[in-house]
Amino acid sequence: MKYYIAISVVAMALFTSCASKQATSERPVTDTFQIVHYNVIIAPDFSNRLNSKLYPKPVNDMEIVQDVLGRIYPDILNDKRSDNQQDVFSVTMINKGLISLYDIDMSRMTIDFSRFDKQLDRINFIKDRSDEKLSVAKTEFLQEYKRVTQASIADTHGADLWSFFNSGLSDLKVKTKSEYKSFNGRTYEHKFRNILIMLTDGYIEASLYGEDACLTKGQCYYLSSQSIKDFRKAFKKSGIGDMQQFFQEEEYGIIPVKNPVLKDVEVLVMEMYDRSLSPAGNATVHPTDEEVLQLFWSDWLEKSGVKKYELHKTVNSTREVNQVISSFLGIEKSAS
């Protein structure tokens, strides 16, 4: 392993010194070798869902974020690559106003490997052999995330999920363009998988409600507990046996957003919380809130044009968190 790293360092030192001068966003006519990097964006819903007394869960958001950061090395950084990783791991706010309200230092919740021009500097950072250390960066990331979480629990402001998908995600955060670098007669295309990890209960409850927040009776900008109850009641009254059929025929749904960057975004929604279950986890109504949430969200994300999505209910253990994230990313946990 030591010999491998040494060879990699020398090779990439040459690569970065030469290739960085030849970087371009235009696709060359020569044969191109594609390298895919990860842009992992964590978007937490800082609403009353974080109140464990109201909505108890086996695994909290902090543990999910810890799992993501714990996977950075070696699992993600070494996925189909051995060097020159450009991966970025960060948090974005669904409600941008919270940044100033809670005095959030967003730089503390960003780990960016693309800032290293030399592979040796990147390795020293990963291995904690320089003034800047990955272990310290992860600790600071978690400390700031915990501080913001505690502040939001004490002073809740909701989460405007619809506006976030419509305009809160832009090409400033989502990496949509490839970068081409040439070295030793070969051209390398560096592109990104934009992975958006949404931590939300699935209820879209901000400040918009009622007729003013709807285009039609069934098409609205929100999806509240009450609107789910109303949908369930109308479905049962209709006499139609298939909920999907009723949903389509009556033209229900969350109003789709129009954001072109979503075609380059893969959305992993975690921690969808079923408020219709009893404290013991038994269904109190049918269809359950979870079934309705899945229906509305699937329709919304598809019509909004996201590249890929998965919807997951609250997990029961950190091991399950690990399995969900690994499966979505398509990577295996390292044996080392």
Side-chain angles (χ1 to χ4, degrees):
M1 182 66 182
K2 293 181 178 179
Y3 294 105
Y4 175 84
I5 293 175
I7 293 172
S8 174
V9 169
V10 174
M12 289 312 303
L14 292 171
F15 178 93
T16 53
S17 64
C18 297
S20 60
K21 298 178 182 179
Q22 303 179 49
T24 176
S25 60
E26 297 181 0
R27 185 183 183 93
V29 296
T30 57
D31 291 337
T32 302
F33 299 85
Q34 190 179 88
I35 304 175
V36 180
H37 307 287
Y38 290 91
N39 179 29
V40 179
I41 306 166
I42 302 171
D45 171 353
F46 286 125
S47 64
N48 64 355
R49 59 176 282 275
L50 296 176
N51 188 325
S52 59
K53 293 182 179 179
L54 289 176
Y55 308 114
K57 300 180 298 181
V59 179
N60 60 42
D61 286 9
M62 188 74 174
E63 292 172 298
I64 295 175
V65 175
Q66 283 180 312
D67 184 85
V68 173
L69 298 185
R71 305 298 302 280
I72 291 178
Y73 181 79
D75 299 347
I76 298 177
L77 285 176
N78 281 359
D79 181 48
K80 303 179 183 67
R81 304 155 300 163
S82 59
D83 42 40
N84 203 32
Q85 297 91 334
Q86 308 291 303
D87 299 355
V88 182
F89 302 83
S90 65
V91 168
T92 191
M93 304 306 295
I94 293 175
N95 292 6
K96 306 302 181 186
L98 297 183
I99 297 175
S100 57
L101 187 64
Y102 297 150
D103 192 23
I104 302 172
D105 186 347
M106 299 303 292
S107 66
R108 286 170 61 90
M109 293 189 290
T110 300
I111 300 177
D112 186 355
F113 291 90
S114 68
R115 64 191 177 87
F116 296 103
D117 292 327
K118 298 178 181 179
Q119 179 66 5
L120 179 58
D121 293 338
R122 187 178 291 107
I123 290 175
N124 286 337
F125 173 72
I126 294 170
K127 298 290 187 178
D128 285 352
R129 296 197 297 240
S130 61
D131 291 339
E132 292 185 273
K133 298 175 174 60
L134 176 58
S135 64
V136 174
K138 290 194 292 186
T139 298
E140 292 179 348
F141 192 119
L142 291 170
Q143 287 175 342
E144 186 68 0
Y145 190 90
K146 182 178 181 180
R147 186 186 70 81
V148 176
T149 299
Q150 292 173 337
S152 66
I153 292 174
D155 185 22
T156 303
H157 291 274
D160 189 353
L161 294 172
W162 193 94
S163 296
F164 171 73
F165 273 102
N166 191 57
S167 58
L169 277 177
S170 70
D171 54 11
L172 294 176
K173 196 71 175 179
V174 178
K175 298 179 179 294
T176 60
K177 295 182 179 179
S178 296
E179 184 178 80
Y180 297 89
K181 296 182 179 181
S182 297
F183 178 68
N184 276 358
R186 290 185 173 184
T187 298
Y188 297 86
E189 178 191 7
H190 293 270
K191 65 179 300 183
F192 284 84
R193 283 184 66 190
N194 295 287
I195 309 294
L196 177 65
I197 301 178
M198 296 284 304
L199 303 179
T200 179
D201 57 8
Y203 298 86
I204 303 176
E205 300 170 320
S207 56
L208 288 174
Y209 291 103
E211 294 181 0
D212 292 340
C214 300
L215 295 182
T216 66
K217 181 179 179 180
Q219 294 277 327
C220 300
Y221 292 101
Y222 66 93
L223 183 61
S224 65
S225 288
Q226 186 59 50
S227 59
I228 290 176
K229 291 177 182 177
D230 292 341
F231 171 81
R232 183 187 295 117
K233 182 179 179 180
F235 167 56
K236 289 183 175 181
K237 186 177 180 180
S238 72
I240 299 175
D242 185 270
M243 185 170 66
Q244 177 79 45
Q245 178 186 345
F246 172 75
F247 178 89
Q248 294 174 342
E249 289 183 358
E250 297 299 319
E251 298 182 341
Y252 275 91
I254 305 166
I255 298 169
V257 302
K258 296 180 180 179
N259 188 342
V261 304
L262 292 180
K263 69 180 185 300
D264 294 306
V265 178
E266 302 174 44
V267 182
L268 174 60
V269 180
M270 300 187 68
E271 294 301 277
M272 298 185 88
Y273 190 95
D274 193 336
R275 297 179 188 172
S276 69
L277 299 182
S278 71
N282 299 319
T284 61
V285 291
H286 286 291
T288 64
D289 276 18
E290 182 197 344
E291 291 171 315
V292 178
L293 287 168
Q294 290 272 347
L295 179 60
F296 273 79
W297 270 80
S298 295
D299 178 77
W300 183 40
L301 295 179
E302 288 174 11
K303 289 181 178 177
S304 296
V306 301
K307 183 177 182 179
K308 170 186 174 182
Y309 71 89
E310 285 185 11
L311 308 173
H312 291 270
K313 61 182 180 180
T314 52
V315 293
N316 295 314
S317 66
T318 54
R319 181 177 181 181
E320 191 175 337
V321 171
N322 193 287
Q323 292 171 341
V324 169
I325 294 175
S326 295
S327 175
F328 191 80
L329 294 179
I331 62 176
E332 297 181 0
K333 186 170 178 60
S334 173
S336 60

